[in-house]
Amino acid sequence: MEDQMYITMAKILNGEATAAEQQEFRTWLAADPRNTEAFNELKAVWTEADVLLEAPRFAHEPAWDKVSSRLFTADKAEEPARKVIAFRPWMKYMTAAAAVLAIGVIFLKNFNQEARMVSVLASADNQEITLPDNSHITLKKGSKLEYPKKFDEAERHVALEGEAFFDVTRNEKQPFTIDAGAATVRVLGTSFDVKSGKEVAVVVSTGKVSVTSMVKEDVSVVLTPGEKGIVSDSQAHKQTVRSDNHLYWKTGELLFSNKSLEHVLGELQAYTGSRIRFADKTDAEVKEQEVNISFHKQSLENMLTDLCLVTKTRWTKKGSEYIISSKQNATPQALCCYLRAVAADRCLLCTAIRSAVTPLCSKKEDSQHQAVHRVHTARDWHRDFLEQFLHERKQAGHRYRNRTNSR
């Protein structure tokens, strides 16, 4: 085995191997079963080295005895039940050398990793980041990005937990790779959105992006602008994206054209992380009505209010859940209170309007005043009240003129 492969294995165990080195390592493992056995031995040494580093003081002689006893179990006959792998003498010395190398890499990692890596957590809000190659990243609130202060000459590698939008500076000689959990994202220069996790979701705005499973190389998709790819350990598929709504977390903008109310509410629920549902026994006609609407940096409640205005529905909140129901016609009592609120200027016509509708009202003044406040501040009732107000105004105007002419 070449010394370089031991170095590659050490990088694999330390999480510092490049994409090319990972590929080389997988090819080497598949070439010979003995390679897997050798790697497992080194992995055991690596684990032992981590335990040793946790001790207050590092005793070199006992540590080496402990490590070598794990490496050379093939020379001991006290465990007949275990499968024994006979190493040639030169392999023992090479493995021992690799153990020393592994321990050295651990020390190097402990002392220098903080100096070489930058870790950014967007804890309070979305955060803008400029990388050493002048690539720009918008990191979603609650997400984390790690990258080196200086990229390797062979590639630019970063690690993402959460979601971020990347605008990558093009450099064909230095590919840009993202460790996103279940998959690796690889580009030359483009802009795209990445959501990491057990399923990695990528939506491309410009350029071309390759997304490959970390477990199976043949599980991958190549995406172009307007396409979304979802890759897990064993599956990959893509679909067409017809809007930029997936960037709501970044832009605060949503656009819905010829979509059903049910679809719009489902999207709002997904993008805001809130619970939204229809009230029980809501008619299918209400759910399926077509909606054309856009939102720009609005709160969820403001978006629901605007949506209810154009769909003749209303929303209420129960605990943490928003419930959408059909809007009922305004009662005469509520209409009376609304008219009293909007007719507060005491003009002659408004007086006539109040006189015309007063008989419809309850005589409990406290309840009326409470209703005035409720109705006046409920935007989703405004349209129905306004329509009825205009009708009542017309009728009251007729009655007022009739009374004036009779005097």
Side-chain angles (χ1 to χ4, degrees), residues 269 274-277 315-323:
Q269 178 172 258
S274 303
R275 296 176 61 190
I276 307 172
R277 68 173 178 86
W315 66 266
T316 55
K317 187 176 183 181
K318 186 175 181 180
S320 60
E321 188 176 50
Y322 293 90
I323 302 173

Side-chain angles (χ1 to χ4, degrees), residues 26 181-184 212-219 231-234:
R26 284 192 288 262
T184 299
T212 305
S213 169
M214 292 287 284
V215 177
K216 298 181 178 180
E217 282 190 16
D218 58 342
V219 176
V231 178
S232 62
D233 288 346
S234 58

Side-chain angles (χ1 to χ4, degrees), residues 104 109 170 230 289 379:
K109 175 188 70 175
R170 187 173 185 82
I230 299 177
Q289 62 180 302
R379 289 180 60 193

Side-chain angles (χ1 to χ4, degrees), residues 250-277:
K250 178 177 179 285
T251 64
E253 297 183 355
L254 291 172
L255 174 64
F256 299 99
S257 299
N258 303 322
K259 300 296 183 181
S260 69
L261 175 59
E262 188 171 26
H263 173 86
V264 174
L265 290 176
E267 294 287 283
L268 287 181
Q269 178 172 258
Y271 291 133
T272 64
S274 303
R275 296 176 61 190
I276 307 172
R277 68 173 178 86

Side-chain angles (χ1 to χ4, degrees), residues 172 200 231 296:
E172 296 183 3
V200 176
V231 178
H296 179 70

Side-chain angles (χ1 to χ4, degrees), residues 281-300:
K281 299 181 180 180
T282 300
D283 293 340
E285 183 180 356
V286 174
K287 298 179 181 179
E288 295 169 3
Q289 62 180 302
E290 195 172 87
V291 176
N292 292 280
I293 195 169
S294 63
F295 305 109
H296 179 70
K297 296 183 178 179
Q298 296 172 243
S299 67
L300 173 60

